[in-house]
Amino acid sequence: MKNRYLSEKAASRRSIVSEIRKDVFGHAEYRNIQDRECRNWQEIRHPLFPVYREQWTQDGMGYLIIEFWDGMDLRKMLDRRGRLSPVTALNVTLQITEGLQYLHEREHPFLYRDLKPENIRIRENGRAGILDLGCLWNREDAWSGAGNYSYSAPEQFTRGELPGEESDVYAVVLLAKQNA
């Protein structure tokens, strides 16, 4: 649904430009999701999340610019190298947990809901970071089931149940188990 480009010119800082295809962005529901994601990016201020730069629409397309991080996503790293060493797996897990704790303990807490190796970036300096806020849920908003079936707690997709922070913890445990 999104094309991503590296920009060296966006505000003179290396940034990622996400382009939402016209056929997808043309749906009002997706535009609402994109608007919510951009609002969420603007609120998040933590070193484990890229910095939001800006968003705009043009010619029926949506664009989002965030800070670029060198490195690779955890999925690619696992595919290339196999499992992480126990020390690296523990460090990545602790960093992800710190980022989720930040989301859960805010004045207006969020659930992440989409933790998976593709959304974890391992930077050149070895630090992990969390990407893609498209499924972030503010508990003050109406519930919408979202996430990845492979890593999400069952209650995220069970009608009538509202998940809590434990559903993000469930995803961390699955991720840690896969990595070590």
Side-chain angles (χ1 to χ4, degrees):
M1 290 201 276
K2 295 180 182 179
N3 293 318
R4 291 190 170 89
Y5 306 95
L6 174 62
S7 170
E8 299 284 349
K9 296 182 180 184
S12 299
R13 296 169 286 194
R14 293 183 72 179
S15 301
I16 291 293
V17 179
S18 293
E19 174 186 73
I20 315 307
R21 293 190 333 239
K22 195 178 244 179
D23 60 320
V24 173
F25 195 72
H27 299 285
E29 181 180 342
Y30 195 82
R31 277 196 308 276
N32 291 338
I33 291 169
Q34 177 74 12
D35 288 344
R36 185 181 69 233
E37 181 178 4
C38 290
R39 280 193 311 273
N40 293 340
W41 275 112
Q42 291 173 32
E43 287 186 38
I44 302 302
R45 298 281 184 261
H46 191 279
L48 290 171
F49 297 90
V51 174
Y52 167 88
R53 303 261 194 247
E54 67 178 294
Q55 80 171 75
W56 74 93
T57 60
Q58 181 178 333
D59 301 325
M61 302 277 282
Y63 299 90
L64 167 67
I65 299 180
I66 61 169
E67 174 185 21
F68 173 77
W69 285 344
D70 287 321
M72 71 175 70
D73 71 50
L74 184 56
R75 166 63 57 220
K76 287 180 185 160
M77 182 175 280
L78 292 170
D79 289 347
R80 289 182 184 174
R81 301 180 187 172
R83 290 180 173 224
L84 303 176
S85 73
V87 171
T88 302
L90 179 61
N91 284 331
V92 168
T93 301
L94 290 173
Q95 291 173 61
I96 293 166
T97 304
E98 178 188 334
L100 294 176
Q101 181 179 6
Y102 163 78
L103 294 176
H104 296 166
E105 293 180 352
R106 295 167 27 88
E107 181 180 349
H108 303 286
F110 286 115
L111 292 184
Y112 184 73
R113 304 191 308 173
D114 197 24
L115 196 62
K116 58 187 176 186
E118 294 82 357
N119 288 344
I120 304 301
R121 186 91 172 165
I122 308 301
R123 295 180 265 180
E124 297 290 329
N125 64 8
R127 294 281 299 160
I130 302 173
L131 308 173
D132 194 351
L133 302 182
C135 290
L136 210 63
W137 177 57
N138 182 328
R139 300 185 105 181
E140 296 170 357
D141 293 338
W143 172 252
S144 64
N148 179 298
Y149 284 105
S150 298
Y151 293 90
S152 296
E155 63 268 19
Q156 279 188 232
F157 300 102
T158 303
R159 197 172 197 95
E161 289 192 43
L162 289 179
E165 290 84 4
E166 63 276 357
S167 62
D168 280 344
V169 173
Y170 177 94
V172 170
V173 170
L174 289 179
L175 199 62
K177 181 180 173 189
Q178 179 184 22
N179 293 338

